[in-house]
Amino acid sequence: PSDAPSAAPAATMMARGCGPLLACVLAASLLSLASSAPLPLTGLDGKALTDGTCATSTVSSGQKFDYNLQDAESEDGHYEVSVKRDFKWNDTSPDIVLNISFFFQFCSDMQFKTDTSRPACGNSTTGNATAHCPAECLSADKAWCGECASLVSVQASTHPEGAWCEALGGFESARIQLMDDSDPAVGLVYTFAGGDAGHSLYCVNNRTRELRVDVSCAAVVSPPKDADELPPPPGSPRGYRSCRYQTSMAHPGACPAVSAAGDPQGPAPAPA
């Protein structure tokens, strides 16, 4: 039997405020993720990789690949990637313009140098910038939002609340995988897991939200781009979302240091 939740009545969905928009407007346009038996990743001490670990390694074809994604942390304290979406409730409804911004930082909570760089989650006309800030992202003085590892901010042109935010997961529960098991030098996949469940009514199987960041190994930094939502599983109820978001970037911090497996001299620096 299917474990997908039953469809919610329209009145219930409308009563959730920001939920219907966020549930309906992030277009599912990316290919489904392929599943395969991954190469095992371990911590640099040889133990099993634990949640939140940024230093990791794997062995393949007699070589050891050592990574530390802490080297890929943003010097500005956070990464941001924004997309714009047009949304219509139906064929006769007016257009709604959505400005969707994804914020994240590897291995630690985000930092913001100015007030204006922080995520907007409330109604700017009332000055309540944190009205819809996830509790785990609200600052200790409750003055601003973004004191967490990742979130998505949605601003709607005609929505009375102005903007709202959903947490996408913390670094403490992050997962690290190889981008390509056949070539460990390609880069890493960093997934922020255990995000907001406040509107899980719209997430298939009551999932919490997640943000997957594909970090390719490169000599120069390429900022994150093409953020979007992955398609829901086949057969999902109409109107339900995957709540799995994805973006991609490139950074030297995703390049492994390579050495012979068991080499007491340790790894050599990754080539430039």
Side-chain angles (χ1 to χ4, degrees):
S2 172
D3 58 353
S6 59
T12 301
M13 297 178 72
M14 290 293 292
R16 290 299 184 103
C18 66
L21 284 175
L22 188 63
C24 298
V25 301
L26 296 179
S29 59
L30 300 179
L31 296 177
S32 297
L33 302 178
S35 60
S36 60
L39 287 174
L41 286 171
T42 65
L44 295 186
D45 57 3
K47 298 179 181 178
L49 182 63
T50 58
D51 289 344
T53 303
C54 278
T56 183
S57 65
T58 192
V59 174
S60 177
S61 301
Q63 292 183 305
K64 185 182 181 187
F65 298 82
D66 291 318
Y67 312 83
N68 192 344
L69 264 181
Q70 193 161 4
D71 296 334
E73 287 187 323
S74 170
E75 295 181 357
D76 293 329
H78 69 281
Y79 289 101
E80 179 181 355
V81 55
S82 298
V83 295
K84 183 174 288 188
R85 294 284 182 267
D86 293 327
F87 171 72
K88 292 174 71 71
W89 285 109
N90 53 53
D91 292 339
T92 60
S93 65
D95 289 339
I96 298 174
V97 177
L98 296 171
N99 294 297
I100 306 168
S101 298
F102 295 82
F103 299 82
F104 64 91
Q105 175 70 305
F106 298 117
C107 310
S108 65
D109 283 343
M110 297 183 288
Q111 301 293 324
F112 298 89
K113 295 182 179 180
T114 64
D115 290 344
T116 57
S117 66
R118 293 169 178 165
C121 304
N123 193 326
S124 59
T125 62
T126 65
N128 191 352
T130 62
H132 299 288
C133 175
E136 60 268 42
C137 300
L138 191 61
S139 63
D141 59 3
K142 300 184 178 181
W144 58 276
C145 192
E147 197 165 84
C148 53
S150 65
L151 59 77
V152 57
S153 170
V154 182
Q155 294 178 293
S157 60
T158 60
H159 196 278
E161 299 295 344
W164 60 88
C165 295
E166 302 280 3
L168 297 177
F171 69 89
E172 300 92 343
S173 57
R175 301 191 302 268
I176 300 177
Q177 300 167 274
L178 293 175
M179 186 177 293
D180 185 348
D181 287 339
S182 66
D183 186 356
V186 169
L188 296 172
V189 176
Y190 191 99
T191 301
F192 296 91
D196 188 32
H199 293 97
S200 61
L201 172 68
Y202 312 105
C203 299
V204 169
N205 300 334
N206 295 315
R207 291 175 171 175
T208 55
R209 301 182 188 278
E210 291 188 0
L211 173 63
R212 166 181 167 143
V213 185
D214 291 351
V215 192
S216 300
C217 168
V220 296
V221 177
S222 176
K225 60 182 181 180
D226 300 332
D228 216 326
E229 186 177 8
L230 294 170
S236 299
R238 181 180 176 84
Y240 280 66
R241 315 306 301 177
S242 71
C243 294
R244 298 293 189 264
Y245 309 95
Q246 183 178 33
T247 187
S248 59
M249 59 180 291
H251 199 288
C255 299
V258 184
S259 63
D263 184 355
Q265 299 299 317

